[in-house]
Amino acid sequence: MKVLLYFENQKKMRQSGIGRALQHQKKALELANVEYTTDFNDNFDLPHINTLFFDSYKKLKKCKKRGMKVIVHGHSTIEDFRDSFRVWRLIAPLYNKLILRMYRKADAIITPTNYSKHLIENYKGVNCPVYAVSNGIKLEDYAYSKEKIKKFVDYFKIKEGQKVIICAGLYFERKGIQDFFEVARRMPDVTFIWFGYLKPILTPLKILKAIKNRPANVIMPGYIEGDIIKGAYLKADAFLFLSKEETEGIVVLEAMASKTPVILRDIGVFEDWLTHKENVLKGKTIDDFINNINYVYENDMTQILNNAYKVTEERNLKDIGNKLKEIYETVYNK
């Protein structure tokens, strides 16, 4: 069996979690010995469509006309589009329509967590099987490396003993960027770095204003990939991820794989696989997040970090590849 991994606008999606999911899927299928292509004009037996835009829908319909079963990936939900791009409220009706028509025509849907699985299963008109399979993590990429740490330290001129907290994400209100700034404002002795970027034309005005008026101890270097960001994961005192809605959060897995303490907003997507003071720290208010940062500085985090790493081991790409292969075979032979 040969699988099509279809991603519309791959270059534009590269900086997002969905873009990294493509790289993970490729590697996972290679490890599971599943032949694949990313070219729609190539020969393939089963399409796995990862995007939900207009061209993706056209490709879905073409595959259906050929008599193929179609898998759609549930990277996105109606819920996680809220508080994202500028004028998202105006776009939401169209976006929701796009999502629903893709999901309703799928023969199966794969989505990263049980939380997003539950959301999609409850959308009106979605009657196909929905499978929860993590986006996975390439563990070896986040192994300890003095060279990567040095690149990060040199790039940002981090001094000995300097406290550093990081986050990564687009400039969405949903990502908790305003709360990130407020935590930084109340902890002026700590350096906060937000990795990520969104074009100003797409960024809500209130977020642009918040960025302009951010505390002096917040550094925003834009989108950075490679050894510098991986060194940041390895060196940072904690990864502060205050997102209000996610389908999984690949960056959370990356931080845990780097054995960096993870501090999360206590939301539904993390409920059944991440536990407060067992493998992460969770909170709901600014005071909670500050207390959790102080907890990291005042306590031995070894056991929590080891527990977090075990979670990522369960999501290694080889196992993810085998799960995808099993789903492919089930859908193809149905």
Side-chain angles (χ1 to χ4, degrees):
M1 183 199 311
K2 189 174 183 178
V3 175
L4 168 70
L5 295 181
Y6 184 74
F7 280 75
E8 188 175 341
N9 293 325
Q10 287 187 32
K11 290 183 179 179
K12 292 183 179 180
M13 301 295 288
R14 184 175 63 86
Q15 297 182 10
S16 68
I18 296 176
R20 287 209 294 292
L22 169 60
Q23 302 307 318
H24 289 186
Q25 284 179 19
K26 288 179 178 179
K27 184 63 177 179
L29 296 191
E30 289 167 9
L31 291 171
N33 296 315
V34 175
E35 188 179 3
Y36 71 86
T37 179
T38 58
D39 182 1
F40 186 81
N41 295 315
D42 199 350
N43 293 319
F44 58 89
D45 304 297
L46 182 70
H48 179 175
I49 299 176
N50 278 266
T51 42
L52 307 172
F53 308 127
F54 293 103
D55 193 58
S56 301
Y57 184 64
K58 290 180 182 179
K59 296 295 190 290
L60 183 151
K61 290 199 298 182
K62 286 183 179 180
C63 291
K64 285 284 191 177
K65 285 182 179 179
R66 296 176 187 175
M68 292 180 168
K69 303 288 185 181
V70 179
I71 294 174
V72 173
H73 209 106
H75 293 292
S76 302
T77 63
I78 291 171
E79 288 75 10
D80 74 5
F81 187 66
R82 295 169 186 160
D83 297 320
S84 55
F85 299 98
R86 187 183 294 198
V87 301
W88 71 268
R89 292 180 188 276
L90 295 177
I91 303 170
L94 174 60
Y95 183 78
N96 296 349
K97 183 178 180 180
L98 288 172
I99 283 182
L100 290 175
R101 72 178 184 176
M102 290 288 291
Y103 289 167
R104 287 168 178 167
K105 286 189 175 295
D107 293 286
I109 297 168
I110 299 173
T111 192
T113 57
N114 287 321
Y115 172 79
S116 53
K117 177 179 185 291
H118 175 75
L119 292 178
I120 293 169
E121 284 177 334
N122 282 279
Y123 292 159
K124 186 176 180 180
V126 175
N127 300 311
C128 66
V130 182
Y131 301 92
V133 180
S134 170
N135 287 305
I137 183 74
K138 191 177 178 183
L139 288 172
E140 57 269 28
D141 281 357
Y142 299 91
Y144 183 81
S145 166
K146 288 183 179 180
E147 292 75 18
K148 291 176 183 178
I149 292 174
K150 186 177 187 303
K151 286 183 180 180
F152 164 70
V153 168
D154 290 347
Y155 187 88
F156 288 98
K157 297 178 173 58
I158 302 298
K159 299 176 182 177
E160 186 69 29
Q162 184 175 346
K163 295 179 178 179
V164 178
I165 304 292
I166 66 169
C167 184
L170 299 174
Y171 296 163
F172 289 165
E173 181 178 357
R174 171 176 67 81
K175 291 291 185 180
I177 190 168
Q178 291 151 301
D179 285 347
F180 186 85
F181 291 161
E182 183 57 29
V183 172
R185 188 171 285 111
R186 290 167 59 175
M187 302 188 77
D189 61 323
V190 179
T191 298
F192 290 77
I193 304 176
W194 182 287
F195 291 95
Y197 179 73
L198 186 65
K199 291 181 179 179
I201 192 67
L202 300 175
T203 306
L205 294 176
K206 63 181 174 181
I207 300 301
L208 290 175
K209 184 178 179 181
I211 292 171
K212 183 179 179 180
N213 298 318
R214 70 186 185 272
N217 59 326
V218 176
I219 301 172
M220 303 189 76
Y223 179 77
I224 293 180
E225 59 183 348
D227 288 351
I228 293 175
I229 181 67
K230 289 171 182 173
Y233 279 122
L234 292 166
K235 177 64 175 176
D237 300 311
F239 185 78
L240 180 65
F241 192 65
L242 305 183
S243 180
K244 301 172 184 177
E245 184 69 33
E246 292 289 326
T247 53
E248 181 175 41
I250 290 178
V251 291
V252 173
L253 292 177
E254 291 170 346
M256 294 194 300
S258 304
K259 294 193 174 180
T260 297
V262 172
I263 300 169
L264 302 170
R265 190 185 299 274
D266 191 0
I267 56 175
V269 68
F270 303 126
E271 187 174 342
D272 66 336
W273 59 289
L274 296 176
T275 304
H276 180 57
K277 289 189 177 179
E278 180 179 319
N279 40 40
V280 296
L281 299 175
K282 291 183 180 181
K284 295 183 178 180
T285 67
I286 300 297
D287 286 340
D288 289 344
F289 306 140
I290 292 171
N291 289 337
N292 283 334
I293 292 173
N294 288 328
Y295 184 90
V296 169
Y297 286 124
E298 296 167 1
N299 292 272
D300 181 358
M301 295 291 292
T302 303
Q303 190 59 55
I304 291 177
L305 297 181
N306 289 339
N307 291 342
Y309 191 78
K310 289 178 183 177
V311 172
T312 65
E313 286 182 315
E314 295 167 0
R315 288 159 175 77
N316 71 81
L317 289 183
K318 185 174 182 180
D319 286 348
I320 298 303
N322 288 331
K323 289 178 181 179
L324 291 174
K325 182 179 181 179
E326 184 178 344
I327 294 169
Y328 291 161
E329 291 173 345
T330 298
V331 174
Y332 183 75
N333 294 318
K334 187 175 180 181

